[in-house]
Amino acid sequence: MGKHVGRKFAAVFLAGIMVFSLAACGEKKESSAPGVDGGVNTSKHEVVTMLVLGNKPSNGRCEAMLEKLNVILKEKVNAELKLTYVEWADWQTQYNVQLLSGDKSLDIITTATDWLYAWENTQKGAFMPLSESMLKTYAPKTYEQVSSMDDWKYCKYQDQIYFIPEDHYTQYTNHGLFYRGDWAKESGIGNGDIKQFEDLGTYFKWIKDNKADVIPWDVAGKNNSGGLLGGYLNSKTENIVIPSVNVGNYEFWMGVSKDDPFTIMSPYMEGDVIYEAAELMKKWNEEGFWREDVLNYDGETREAMYAGTSGSDEHHSQTFYSQIRPNMDLKQAGSDAKMYWWGMENNNVSKPLKTHGAAAISANSLHPERALMVYDLLRNDEACYRLINYGIEGVDYVITSDGKLDHPEGWDKSKDSLDANFWCGRNDDLELQDVQWWDGTKDMIENYNKFAYENPYTGLIIDKNSVEAEMSAMASVLSEYIPQLAFGKYEDPKAAIDEMREKLKAAGYDKVKESIQKNVDDYKATIKK
């Protein structure tokens, strides 16, 4: 899923309307209470529903996997698992609508503090507080592992635990643009390695002039309304995005730099870099580097790159080395797919938060204890883990003689993928090394490790309650201007930005900035930096 300037949450007034019903859940009778012998009472069969992100698969593989998984879950904890999908079309809105709807069928919630608004949803009452005794009893293996890394502190709000971190899984989630090295080389870029943001234009122009049936960057602007603006800002400044403090759809607030992370600013309101970015997007729009109707388009653009009809795609590093490069090697032999990651010019890359993936229990869950038991098995039991992540052995995957993950002959990720999307509890102890991942993965990660810095905002909670109205007003302004700026639709970008800044000021920019700065100052004091 895209990050940077493309995140949106449900309308504030809707969330506010729904908060009361969530907060007034009352006490729940434990569905899996400890029995008289000290064990857990699982005499009543429970259906546990997990909310996941992604398009619901239609190839039957997920259903087949769940059938086998539920045999094990019934045997071990007398439960069965169902999946509810929030699909990518308008996912930012629909996700929060689901969480704040009061739906009592939901139990395990996929969440994150940097792109799925875990703190905001915690504050709005969407999640159930999890006591340590509850975690020890119903998710003992998970509790022990997270405790050993001292990571529960990143999951607490007002001294209560509200979610479980995916803190034992290695990944890089910094974003960038995927492109074809063979075409980049033909465009005159040395060795086909794009190292400067402006070189993307050289690459796009060559495709436009030489590949009649290819869109240089076929992007679904309806789902990625921020385009490349965030990537430009990341690459041309030292600014650091502050996770989980978006304004509507956009990562708007930033720290000055890794050396001064606790001084708050926004390049959308300060400095000239946003002018430069918008002018460049206007030029690229005029040259036809994306669809004319890009802002209304929501097609499968990654599949277009695999098919050779798009020259680029945008997402993060893990997507590149686990999916893009191996798939392009297979589907576009000799394409030499590469990644230009945001911040390449200045090494402006932070390590992912330990709560980039996390699991919560819905405040409305009717059987939270059983839900924790199921989650503990999915995360820590080898048989359950392999089913939820890889599918059925021999059909969805095979294990090589040296213990690595592979797929049966003829298996095609685009058509045969499991897509259970268990992104809230992956575990390095049970992960199988995928032979189909790019063989340069290790080198890419080791290169990042040389300069990527620890995210300075791990554990930062922004209290938006006092500025909710202003944030909502600012979000409306940004939704009017940013998509048009991102895809070069304004005749005079500078005038549009100046007008946007005036409207943001009128919406309450200064008040919101002061409030966030206070939260950051308080956080800085607690970590004594």
Side-chain angles (χ1 to χ4, degrees), residues 160-270:
Q160 287 187 296
I161 296 169
Y162 279 92
F163 41 87
I164 302 168
E166 188 185 59
D167 63 342
H168 196 43
Y169 177 69
T170 302
Q171 61 180 325
Y172 265 97
T173 56
N174 58 307
H175 279 233
L177 204 77
F178 315 136
Y179 64 96
R180 294 182 57 145
D182 59 344
W183 290 355
K185 190 172 183 179
E186 288 192 58
S187 75
I189 296 172
N191 201 36
D193 292 328
I194 293 176
K195 296 181 178 179
Q196 299 286 328
F197 194 96
E198 292 80 3
D199 290 344
L200 293 173
T202 301
Y203 173 71
F204 291 157
K205 183 70 164 61
W206 184 89
I207 294 174
K208 185 70 176 177
D209 293 344
N210 294 277
K211 300 290 180 180
D213 297 326
V214 180
I215 298 173
W217 183 34
D218 198 6
V219 52
K222 192 172 182 180
N223 300 324
N224 182 3
S225 59
L228 300 176
L229 287 182
Y232 189 92
L233 296 174
N234 196 174
S235 299
K236 300 300 180 181
T237 74
E238 301 292 329
N239 302 157
I240 307 173
V241 171
I242 303 176
S244 73
V245 66
N246 294 6
V247 179
N249 197 24
Y250 307 101
E251 291 182 333
F252 180 83
W253 297 105
M254 304 188 189
V256 170
S257 69
K258 64 183 179 183
D259 296 320
D260 185 16
F262 301 117
T263 299
I264 305 310
M265 55 83 66
S266 174
Y268 292 94
M269 287 293 288
E270 303 172 34

Side-chain angles (χ1 to χ4, degrees), residues 152-396:
W152 289 118
K153 61 179 178 289
Y154 301 131
C155 308
K156 289 184 176 181
Y157 176 67
Q158 295 181 345
D159 208 34
Q160 287 187 296
I161 296 169
Y162 279 92
F163 41 87
I164 302 168
E166 188 185 59
D167 63 342
H168 196 43
Y169 177 69
T170 302
Q171 61 180 325
Y172 265 97
T173 56
N174 58 307
H175 279 233
L177 204 77
F178 315 136
Y179 64 96
R180 294 182 57 145
D182 59 344
W183 290 355
K185 190 172 183 179
E186 288 192 58
S187 75
I189 296 172
N191 201 36
D193 292 328
I194 293 176
K195 296 181 178 179
Q196 299 286 328
F197 194 96
E198 292 80 3
D199 290 344
L200 293 173
T202 301
Y203 173 71
F204 291 157
K205 183 70 164 61
W206 184 89
I207 294 174
K208 185 70 176 177
D209 293 344
N210 294 277
K211 300 290 180 180
D213 297 326
V214 180
I215 298 173
W217 183 34
D218 198 6
V219 52
K222 192 172 182 180
N223 300 324
N224 182 3
S225 59
L228 300 176
L229 287 182
Y232 189 92
L233 296 174
N234 196 174
S235 299
K236 300 300 180 181
T237 74
E238 301 292 329
N239 302 157
I240 307 173
V241 171
I242 303 176
S244 73
V245 66
N246 294 6
V247 179
N249 197 24
Y250 307 101
E251 291 182 333
F252 180 83
W253 297 105
M254 304 188 189
V256 170
S257 69
K258 64 183 179 183
D259 296 320
D260 185 16
F262 301 117
T263 299
I264 305 310
M265 55 83 66
S266 174
Y268 292 94
M269 287 293 288
E270 303 172 34
D272 296 333
V273 179
I274 189 62
Y275 294 134
E276 299 167 7
E279 287 290 347
L280 186 61
M281 296 308 114
K282 177 176 183 289
K283 177 184 176 183
W284 286 0
N285 177 62
E286 291 170 348
E287 296 194 50
F289 292 167
W290 42 74
R291 292 172 181 264
E292 179 63 30
D293 65 341
V294 60
L295 292 174
N296 297 315
Y297 186 65
D298 61 357
E300 294 288 344
T301 54
R302 183 160 301 158
E303 292 299 322
M305 188 176 183
Y306 292 157
T309 58
S310 175
S312 313
D313 187 31
E314 191 274 343
H315 206 240
H316 58 56
S317 293
Q318 171 129 338
T319 301
F320 174 72
Y321 52 70
S322 69
Q323 298 179 36
I324 300 297
R325 179 58 191 252
N327 272 295
M328 287 296 287
D329 285 347
L330 180 67
K331 297 173 183 292
Q332 297 292 326
S335 58
D336 189 26
K338 298 184 178 184
M339 179 180 181
Y340 167 77
W341 34 271
W342 312 144
M344 184 177 285
E345 291 100 317
N346 54 8
N347 288 342
N348 188 9
V349 175
S350 70
K351 295 179 181 178
L353 296 177
K354 290 187 175 184
T355 49
H356 174 73
I361 301 299
S362 170
N364 294 286
S365 173
L366 297 178
H367 31 250
E369 300 84 8
R370 199 73 60 88
L372 284 171
M373 295 173 77
V374 168
Y375 176 83
D376 204 43
L377 286 170
L378 296 179
R379 179 169 174 145
N380 300 289
D381 179 89
E382 184 176 89
C384 294
Y385 190 88
R386 288 188 178 182
L387 280 163
I388 194 69
N389 286 290
Y390 308 134
I392 298 171
E393 186 174 358
V395 180
D396 298 300

Side-chain angles (χ1 to χ4, degrees), residues 12-37:
V12 170
F13 85 95
L14 176 62
I17 290 172
M18 295 177 174
V19 166
F20 178 76
S21 65
L22 289 165
C25 294
E27 294 184 3
K28 294 180 173 62
K29 183 179 179 181
E30 289 193 348
S31 60
S32 306
V36 294
D37 61 352

